[in-house]
Amino acid sequence: MTGRLFRILRGLRDDGQAWGSVLTWVGLVAFCAASPISIAATNISWGVALAGLLVQALSRDEHFAGLVRRTDLDAPLACFVLASLLSVFHSLDLASSIVESRSLGLMVIFFLFAWQVETPAKRKTLVRILIVSSCVSALYGWIQFMTGWDLLGHYRPESKKVCGFFGLHLTYGEHLSMVICMGMGLLLWTDAKRPARAGGVLALGLMASAVLLSGSKGALLSLGAGLGVVFALRGRKALALYVVGGILLCIAVDILMAHRLWGNIVALFQIDAEQKLGPAASNAHRL
């Protein structure tokens, strides 16, 4: 009788591990598919993935054995959390800062991927889903720009700053800039066939154009800096190629804009505390 009960419990434990693993995988797939489209769906997705991880943990003899592993980003993330907590306790509004510090919990998303995505096949699947979904988001941004139509009613044609499926153009541009940096890393390091590389270049170009349409200065700055880091990690020749290509691109854009590029850049980053609207007012507020 005792042996039979033990076998039943062991079977439930094994089933729990299997179902938890499936639940986590479904959550991660949904996360990659939804992240360029819906923040709410993205949050639900990583919540499902976390639930799957907990099911796996509770189904083991040693709850977290084999599930939790060290990663290369543990130390930097720990430093970031420490710096954030120090800023919270030196805040002028301690209560509000404590409430806002809950966003540090989003770091669990990184560990869900780092701990659960173990094989190259799974990584390729998730990356492809994220890039395809981001390309759909970029195309939707172009539809907004060309037609002024937005299914969700977030886009304001008078602003000429597309927001894709998001409610804010800043979030839209910044999300795409991160996906572009990841995609460029794949192009520089992965040995892919020529058609795949051509498709990758077109996808990154489409997303980069959508970042420009977003009109987000932060997204453009982060994209330039992020790509610089990616090329620098690839080597000196790659970094030199990036710098030369960037200079040539700026020259081409300047010519197309009738030599108004520098003036527009200065206008974007000027500071004037007396203005109420526009880039100068926004920059003064941020400063």
Side-chain angles (χ1 to χ4, degrees), residues 37-48:
I37 298 172
S38 170
I39 293 176
T42 303
N43 286 332
I44 293 172
S45 299
W46 76 261
V48 169

Side-chain angles (χ1 to χ4, degrees), residues 66-136:
L67 291 178
V68 177
R69 297 184 300 276
R70 290 184 178 181
T71 75
D72 293 336
L73 291 185
D74 289 349
L77 290 177
C79 290
F80 179 77
V81 170
L82 178 61
S84 299
L85 293 178
L86 287 174
S87 70
V88 165
F89 291 107
H90 286 81
S91 170
L92 297 177
D93 187 351
L94 182 60
S96 296
S97 295
I98 290 175
V99 171
E100 292 300 325
S101 66
R102 71 187 187 280
S103 59
L104 290 172
L106 293 174
M107 286 185 184
V108 72
I109 296 170
F110 163 74
F111 291 103
L112 285 170
F113 282 90
W115 293 340
Q116 292 291 290
V117 185
E118 300 172 343
T119 64
K122 284 187 174 182
R123 288 195 289 269
K124 288 180 181 179
T125 298
L126 293 175
V127 166
R128 287 168 180 167
I129 292 172
L130 178 60
I131 289 178
V132 169
S133 186
S134 297
C135 285
V136 171

Side-chain angles (χ1 to χ4, degrees), residues 160-212:
K160 294 186 178 180
K161 294 181 178 181
V162 303
C163 57
F165 295 100
F166 293 108
L168 191 64
H169 64 285
L170 302 174
T171 314
Y172 177 67
E174 289 160 0
H175 182 279
L176 288 177
S177 70
M178 289 189 288
V179 178
I180 291 170
C181 290
M182 181 199 68
M184 183 58 71
L186 293 175
L187 284 179
L188 291 177
W189 269 275
T190 304
D191 294 327
K193 295 181 179 179
R194 187 171 296 178
R197 284 189 173 275
V201 170
L202 290 175
L204 295 185
L206 174 62
M207 287 186 276
S209 66
V211 173
L212 288 172

Side-chain angles (χ1 to χ4, degrees), residues 252-261:
V253 172
D254 188 52
I255 293 172
L256 291 173
M257 295 179 64
H259 302 290
R260 296 197 305 270
L261 177 62

